Amino acid sequence: MPEQPYHTREEFNYVGKAGLKRKDGLEKAAGTALFTRDVYLPGMLIAKTFESPYAHAKIVSMDTSKAEAYPGVHAVLRYDDPELAYEFEYPSWGWSAQYQHPLNQIAHWAGCPMGFAIAAVDEQTVDEAMKLVEIEWEILPFELDYEQSAKDDVILEAHRDIDTNIRSAEGVIEHELGDVEKGMQEADNIVKFTYIDEEDTWGGVEALSCIAVWRGDHLDIWVHNQTPNPAQMRLAGYHQWVPVGYFVRVAPPVNQYTLANKIHVHSLYQGAQFGGPNWNTWYCNYPLTAAWLAKRAQKPVKHILDRSHFENRGYDEAVHYMEVGFKNDGTITALKSLDYGSTIDFPFKVGKGTGVPNYYDTVIVPYVNKGPKSCYRHGMKECGGLNLPYSIVAGELGMPMTEVALKNDGCYGNSMEWINENVKAQYGWTRDSLKEVIEAGKEAIGWDEKWHLPGEKKLDNGRYHGIGLAFSHNWEVDPNTYFQPNQACVAIQRTEGSVKLIARHSDGGWTGETSYCQIVADELGAKYDDVEIRPFDDVKFELKQGMGSCGLICSSVFLVEAARNCKKKLLEICTEPTGPGGRQIFPGLTPDDLEVKDSVVFEKANPDNKKTFYEVCQADWQFHDPAIGWAANRRHGMEIWNLLRQATFMEVEVDTETGEVIIKKVVNVNDVGKCVTPESVKGQQYGGSYMGIGNSRNEEVLYDTQTGFQINDNLIDYKWFSFNDIEGPMEQIIIETGMGYGAYGMSGCSEVVGALMATSTSDAIFNATGKRVTHFPTTPDRVLKALGKI
């Protein structure tokens, strides 16, 4: 049997243990935790970038002289300044404006940061100075609808030499597995349907900002994102052209020096961050603008983004034209989809998380005049492309969704039976993740007692009862790419024997520091309270950021190796001659004779023969060499199988007179492989559930079609769900099958829980009413429309 694809161990003292004191808990609870927005430096200026008053327009001429002369203004940076006289070609991830200059001459959406930036003594002075800038505009036509934009003759990107609004790079993306036409021919039934997901937005708790200060030719900068290393490389004139750490030079650095080690990036506590600012091109350029303004002003500069609306958050709308072929027993033989939108990765879920053998997907990504969006807890669009066909098949055949899900489980088009024999067997894996997840969820929500044929259960209160399910695979990462940027140092401090974990890492509220210290404590044999981490310092060592739910999966591998190396070094020190006279701390013993637990080294055969870490450090005159660990190339070329599943069960009541959907109970079941910090996993499920329910029930961005401006750009008009908006309880269930690719067989835990809410709601509405709502969010008017009442 081959080696397991991850580090593991048989016993745990702290990993998986609830009730441990969070490493960041005291600071956050006491209000002393330092967030990026909290950083203030002596003499610091405030900077803002101008925001376009038009959805699509070009600056013909601009006069900033009055602003430059305004009292309190220290620096003005313009789009046509020499520092910016080159192309910033940063690849985009499906965003509507993938080529974005830090101070673009052309506005691509209403409110687009562009044109110029001002640094002044305070925010009021900046605002007053901005009003003095005189601009001559060329107003350009705009389009807000993706499907219409793909068919328009009017070209939106006036500065690009193209003859279509479809993006020239990755504008039409095709995904294919098997033979979809053959699969359709083999089907007993074929159903075509359309589903639409309107644009939603999830704002972070902390307003965006970055702070820059020069110390001679060294730049210190604090950024509000999860990715300090890529930010550092961008400032050095590089860009990360794949999501892992390969950088190419695309522009001059922010100063005459090209060495990234003259640029020190700090990424502090982040207020509820879920991706966006890490990857959106225009925000990644904000530190560049801050650095140039700080250099011109010769003062620290805080560049802030205080907008009343939440652009850059959440997902753009998309329309999907789908076709599903299936047999009478519920086996899906083929899926076909044509999609218009900006952030769609249809086969990400269908291909990696099912046994559907044939699919073909065409994604058309045109330009529109909306702010760029990015992934937040992965996408309803991806999960909808998986779950809605399953729900429709179940509905057509009168089967429970649970049966259709299990019947079509698999990976890369292979059935679970094939995977059991050809994949799981080689590692000794015997468990069935989806089966366990569904059985646990069914029991918790009472599925067998409550499920019924659609529209057949009217309650005494006049409402109709429904129960629904949505599922997906958990996030796995490819070790060939995502594992590479990691390094971690674990050191036992000579002075008092405490353990220091040294590695730069940002924080987004996912309890990373606690989980890291749990792993190190178990692997080193230290007390959890003896292990500390300072994650924000700009040091040589860097752990994977929280991006894409892959942070702990990747970093856990390196933490295990670093801690094991430290333990090996510790035992060598205990048994090798040391100090004057070459005496041994444990005379006559070898490292194999010793064990470590609770920060104590002891003889296995005689546990009373022991030394604390402190005693070892005091006895050894040369105890100063920490162990350093990082993953080796042995993981390159590993084939990744997505075998872990999570599911959301939802029970609802539907008022067919008003169209209101009342959520009575939610059960999330998540196979995370191995749970390191239970409170964190459950917290991610709770948070994702509220975000997903809001997205599926009523959150929708609305635009003024005459101006292109968002009209519900505040928390009064944009309706977020609160705790009081969900009537029933939420239950979180953790499954641990150990079939992931992080240390101990862990996987991601939080990417899709929010996205699953929409399709579980849709499935429950169908079960309640017998009518299907596939236009999201499922607002009361859309429910009534499906019922034929409006």
Side-chain angles (χ1 to χ4, degrees), residues 469-637:
L469 165 69
F471 74 98
S472 183
H473 70 78
N474 254 329
W475 180 281
E476 292 289 8
V477 296
D478 184 354
N480 303 305
T481 55
Y482 283 94
F483 277 9
Q484 293 184 41
N486 288 271
Q487 288 183 321
C489 173
V490 175
I492 299 178
Q493 303 293 93
R494 176 178 174 81
T495 51
E496 76 280 2
S498 63
V499 181
K500 185 74 72 176
L501 172 55
I502 305 169
R504 179 170 64 176
H505 181 84
S506 64
D507 170 272
W510 46 73
T511 329
E513 295 85 356
T514 300
S515 301
Y516 297 159
C517 292
Q518 288 174 267
I519 292 171
V520 169
D522 266 350
E523 293 296 339
L524 181 56
K527 295 179 182 177
Y528 169 76
D529 288 340
D530 288 348
V531 184
E532 290 297 329
I533 179 173
R534 294 305 302 169
F536 309 139
D537 297 329
D538 187 359
V539 294
K540 167 181 169 56
F541 309 104
E542 181 147 6
L543 290 174
K544 191 69 178 178
Q545 294 83 21
M547 49 172 282
S549 240
C550 71
L552 188 59
I553 311 175
C554 299
S555 58
S556 63
V557 175
F558 299 81
L559 292 167
V560 169
E561 289 193 7
R564 289 182 179 180
N565 286 341
C566 188
K567 180 179 178 180
K568 179 182 177 183
K569 180 69 175 178
L570 171 66
L571 297 181
E572 290 173 352
I573 288 171
C574 287
T575 54
E576 293 176 352
T578 180
R583 64 183 180 85
Q584 290 178 287
I585 299 174
F586 286 87
L589 300 182
T590 69
D592 291 338
D593 298 325
L594 302 177
E595 189 51 84
V596 187
K597 186 176 182 180
D598 293 334
S599 299
V600 175
V601 183
F602 60 91
E603 183 182 352
K604 295 177 184 176
N606 179 21
D608 289 335
N609 182 18
K610 60 187 178 181
K611 298 285 185 183
T612 65
F613 282 7
Y614 174 77
E615 291 171 327
V616 172
C617 292
Q618 298 306 305
D620 175 42
W621 286 21
Q622 300 176 1
F623 193 86
H624 62 271
D625 184 18
I628 301 170
W630 56 87
N633 289 338
R634 61 185 173 84
R635 288 182 173 79
H636 287 202

Side-chain angles (χ1 to χ4, degrees), residues 46-63:
I46 299 298
K48 287 185 178 182
T49 297
F50 176 74
E51 296 167 5
S52 170
Y54 302 103
H56 196 201
K58 180 178 180 179
I59 296 176
V60 177
S61 65
M62 183 171 68
D63 184 355

Side-chain angles (χ1 to χ4, degrees), residues 403-464:
E403 292 184 17
V404 176
L406 288 168
K407 184 174 289 290
N408 293 281
D409 193 21
C411 185
Y412 299 127
N414 300 290
S415 69
M416 193 51 67
E417 290 77 12
W418 184 93
I419 290 171
N420 289 337
E421 181 178 348
N422 295 279
V423 179
K424 292 183 184 179
Q426 64 177 319
Y427 299 121
W429 292 340
T430 59
R431 299 176 68 173
D432 187 325
S433 181
L434 184 60
K435 184 177 180 180
E436 290 190 37
V437 163
I438 285 181
E439 286 179 352
K442 286 174 64 176
E443 181 179 355
I445 205 164
W447 181 278
D448 289 338
E449 299 79 31
K450 295 178 180 178
W451 187 84
H452 49 79
L453 290 174
E456 292 194 353
K457 187 174 182 180
K458 188 174 183 179
L459 303 172
D460 293 340
N461 60 13
R463 300 171 182 166
Y464 282 80

Side-chain angles (χ1 to χ4, degrees), residues 34-47 72 74 118-123 125-126 209-214 220-222 290 293-294 297-304:
L34 193 65
F35 291 74
T36 307
R37 195 73 172 204
D38 297 328
V39 175
Y40 283 90
L41 302 174
M44 187 175 70
L45 305 176
I46 299 298
H74 285 253
I118 294 177
V121 292
D122 53 37
E123 187 174 354
T125 303
V126 173
S209 65
C210 61
I211 299 95
V213 60
W214 290 88
D220 274 287
I221 193 158
W222 289 257
L293 285 170
Q298 291 298 296
K299 285 179 173 289
V301 169
K302 175 182 283 188
H303 196 182
I304 63 175

